[in-house]
Every structure is written in C-alpha cells, then in structure tokens.
Amino acid sequence: MEWFSALDGFSQFFWIIALIGSLLFVFVIITTFAGIDGGSEIGDVDADIDADTGIGFQFITFKNLVGFFTIFGWTGIACLNAGLSKPLSVIIAAACGLLMMAIMAAMFFSMQKLADSGTLDYKNAVDAIGEVYLTVGANRSKMGKVSVRVQGTLRELEALSDSLTELKSGTIIQVVDVTSNGILIVEQTKKPIEPIKTKTYEIPSDTTRL
C-alpha cells in the first residue's frame, strides 16, 4: 500500500470511490443478469427511491448511483494523471458519472419493459385479485403499482384507480379494467375466502348387507 500512501489526499479520495464503486458495480451487474435483481436489500432500496421519484423511467436508483460513483472515481483518476486541475477533474468526473447514470437508467428501463411485455396479455389481468405495491392515487390522480398474478406469474404492474380515496400499500384490490396502453384500473376489494374442503362419504345403496 506504499503507492497509496504516496498519493495526495485528493487522489486517494478518487481511488477510494473508484475501488468501492467498482466492487459494488460488478456485484450489481452479476446479480441483475443472473435474475437476482441485486438481492433483496438492493431491491428494497430501489423500491424506496421509486416511491419518492415516481414510476417508469428511473434516473436516481441504487444501481445508477453505483454506476455514477464508479465512473466518477476512475474518470477523476484519469484526469489527475493527465495533469488537469482539481476543479476541472471534479467537473469532468461528475459529468461522466451523470452520463453513466443516464445510460444505466435507459438500459434497466428497457430490460424491465421487455420483461413486462413479451407475450403478456394485460387483458388476462381483469378480475384478478392482488395487492397494492406502491400507493395508487384517488380518482386517477397518481399512478401506482400493484402485485397481481397474470398468466401464472406474480407481476408488479402500473395501476390507476377511480376510487375517491387513495389505495395505500398493502390494500387488497381487484382489477376491473385495462387501458389501451396496458395500465390496470383497480378498485379496493376483500380477499376472497376459499371454501373449506370437506370429505364426503357415499352411502351404499343396499343397506340390507350392513
């Protein structure tokens, strides 16, 4: 670690960010393409950010921030090695980091759209019972997300509601309609009670043998 100790504080700052960011970036990419979607903790972080920033094209997520700091660190190191001034190095590194965030946001958005579309027929979701994942606004004022089982798979789909009150996370809903662009129209309902299965016994027709 002598080479690291020989660096000035500014260079050490970029190296620390670059190394930590690179480790997280490799982990995110591997788990994403392996279908794990970054693990449960990363998924929870992204879901919390999604709830604050809206639905659809997400620019500020955990994955995108990892990409930003990775490129920010390595670009900063390259700029300093090229002899650029510290302020200019920070500006260039930040610009490259933001560009990386935009690229990753577009990439993951496209992947999600491909996963959600495919052979999925949204009309098959009509009458399905599900649960609100991200709050759905009242009277179609805010788009949310619901978890419903469609074509044998549990999916998180965008939804609106004509309800006079907002449907908060955890609310049991039923899909009543689907718009032309694949947005579910839902209303609050109760989870159906499954009938109790009972055993039946056949009475023999000839009782004289009993």
Side-chain angles (χ1 to χ4, degrees), residues 12-28:
Q12 290 180 350
F13 167 74
F14 276 121
W15 270 103
I16 291 173
I17 291 179
L19 293 175
I20 295 177
S22 296
L23 290 175
L24 291 174
F25 184 78
V26 171
F27 173 75
V28 166

Side-chain angles (χ1 to χ4, degrees), residues 109-195:
F109 178 73
S110 299
M111 290 173 58
Q112 184 63 42
K113 283 298 181 181
L114 287 173
D116 287 344
S117 56
T119 57
L120 175 62
D121 184 357
Y122 290 95
K123 289 293 183 181
N124 291 331
V126 175
D127 294 331
I129 303 296
E131 182 177 332
V132 176
Y133 174 64
L134 292 178
T135 301
V136 181
N139 197 25
R140 304 196 185 190
S141 60
K142 176 185 176 183
M143 192 180 298
K145 275 190 176 181
V146 296
S147 298
V148 292
R149 187 169 296 277
V150 186
Q151 298 176 192
T153 303
L154 187 64
R155 301 174 182 269
E156 293 173 2
L157 302 174
E158 297 177 342
L160 292 169
S161 177
D162 293 320
S163 174
L164 298 179
T165 58
E166 68 177 14
L167 305 179
K168 296 183 178 181
S169 178
T171 302
I172 303 300
I173 54 87
Q174 182 175 18
V175 181
V176 296
D177 197 7
V178 180
T179 65
S180 59
N181 57 344
I183 298 174
L184 308 185
I185 306 300
V186 302
E187 64 180 16
Q188 185 173 359
T189 187
K190 294 182 179 179
K191 190 174 183 180
I193 301 176
E194 297 182 357

Side-chain angles (χ1 to χ4, degrees), residues 5-152:
S5 301
L7 298 174
D8 60 89
F10 208 70
S11 296
Q12 290 180 350
F13 167 74
F14 276 121
W15 270 103
I16 291 173
I17 291 179
L19 293 175
I20 295 177
S22 296
L23 290 175
L24 291 174
F25 184 78
V26 171
F27 173 75
V28 166
I29 293 298
I30 291 176
T31 52
T32 297
F33 284 97
I36 305 175
D37 197 24
S40 58
E41 293 183 1
I42 294 177
D44 291 342
V45 173
D46 280 343
D48 291 340
I49 297 176
D50 287 349
D52 294 333
T53 59
I55 299 171
F57 186 88
Q58 297 296 329
F59 185 72
I60 302 178
T61 66
F62 178 83
K63 297 172 185 176
N64 296 347
L65 288 175
V66 169
F68 170 84
F69 285 112
T70 301
I71 299 302
F72 176 84
W74 289 115
T75 303
I77 293 171
C79 289
L80 291 178
N81 289 339
L84 299 181
S85 65
K86 293 180 180 179
L88 185 57
S89 297
V90 172
I91 293 173
I92 295 176
C96 291
L98 290 174
L99 178 60
M100 183 62 179
M101 285 184 69
I103 293 173
M104 291 188 63
M107 180 181 70
F108 286 117
F109 178 73
S110 299
M111 290 173 58
Q112 184 63 42
K113 283 298 181 181
L114 287 173
D116 287 344
S117 56
T119 57
L120 175 62
D121 184 357
Y122 290 95
K123 289 293 183 181
N124 291 331
V126 175
D127 294 331
I129 303 296
E131 182 177 332
V132 176
Y133 174 64
L134 292 178
T135 301
V136 181
N139 197 25
R140 304 196 185 190
S141 60
K142 176 185 176 183
M143 192 180 298
K145 275 190 176 181
V146 296
S147 298
V148 292
R149 187 169 296 277
V150 186
Q151 298 176 192

